[in-house]
Amino acid sequence: MSKAIIKLTYKQVIDSSAKTDFERNILSASYREFLLKSQAYNPGNVLKTFSEMKNNDGRANSLHYKLSFVIGYFIETLKNKIPSLTDTLGNSINFEVPQMELIESDITDIKAHKVAINYITGELLLLNTIGEYLVLSANKGETTFTIKMQDHLAISSYQPVGSNVLNKQNALAA
């Protein structure tokens, strides 16, 4: 197997079945913001769902971005640790970039409100794969860890590394 520089993306879907305080806070804050910001794409409140708003006015897609501001505080409380994702030893996985996604909503029913947060890691060195496990290196190659591929986890960036891995690791450090 050839080595590669990768980024992982973990998608946390949050809906009315939210269990943690973090999830409930995200759901509540993003729904209130949806009700407020969606008014611009729903004159007269004739449309009920986010899908209807997008179909009627493509600018409604900006709600993904607009809702992200209201959840910023809650994301900061994570201290760049992806919730519900750990390596095989139970250690948290760090993320660099969170991206908010409004999946669906309804101005008349919070139970239809569904969002996702996509947590994107920094660059990692993929050393090997063993079945459904990835052996990765972080921190300039000083540490390694293993993570199991699972639902909602994807390799979102992949760049093969040539035979001189040390030079590529040094490039990661820069």
Side-chain angles (χ1 to χ4, degrees):
M1 195 213 98
S2 64
K3 293 172 178 55
I5 303 297
I6 66 168
K7 288 187 179 187
L8 297 174
T9 298
Y10 181 75
K11 182 177 201 167
Q12 180 183 21
V13 177
I14 301 170
D15 59 18
S16 61
S17 67
K19 291 177 179 60
T20 67
D21 286 342
F22 172 79
E23 291 172 335
R24 286 189 291 272
N25 287 333
I26 294 289
L27 188 71
S28 176
S30 63
Y31 185 67
R32 286 192 310 271
E33 193 72 0
F34 170 74
L35 293 176
L36 180 67
K37 300 292 186 192
S38 66
Q39 293 175 26
Y41 312 106
N42 191 11
N45 282 337
V46 250
L47 307 171
K48 300 295 180 215
T49 68
F50 175 55
S51 293
E52 291 172 339
M53 292 175 203
K54 286 189 305 183
N55 290 337
N56 187 58
D57 185 346
R59 296 176 303 155
N61 276 310
S62 68
L63 288 169
H64 299 287
Y65 174 73
K66 291 177 179 179
L67 296 185
S68 67
F69 291 110
V70 76
I71 67 164
Y73 166 76
F74 302 110
I75 298 293
E76 284 180 22
T77 66
L78 297 174
K79 298 184 182 345
N80 291 80
K81 306 285 185 203
I82 300 174
S84 306
L85 182 68
T86 59
D87 68 10
T88 55
L89 295 176
N91 299 312
S92 297
I93 306 296
N94 291 332
F95 70 90
E96 282 189 357
V97 179
Q99 288 181 338
M100 170 78 173
E101 177 186 351
L102 175 58
I103 297 171
E104 186 56 273
S105 197
D106 186 312
I107 64 170
T108 63
D109 186 8
I110 191 171
K111 291 179 186 159
H113 189 67
K114 188 181 228 183
V115 297
I117 303 170
N118 295 298
Y119 303 96
I120 304 165
T121 68
E123 290 184 334
L124 301 167
L125 180 61
L126 175 61
L127 298 168
N128 202 354
T129 58
I130 304 169
E132 56 193 9
Y133 293 87
L134 306 176
V135 180
L136 302 164
S137 177
N139 303 327
K140 305 175 197 169
E142 294 170 10
T143 60
T144 60
F145 61 98
T146 305
I147 188 167
K148 182 179 182 181
M149 287 303 294
Q150 55 196 274
D151 291 342
H152 304 288
L153 180 64
I155 297 174
S156 52
S157 174
Y158 183 94
Q159 298 173 337
V161 174
S163 59
N164 192 345
V165 176
L166 291 177
N167 286 338
K168 191 61 174 183
Q169 285 179 336
N170 291 335
L172 280 176

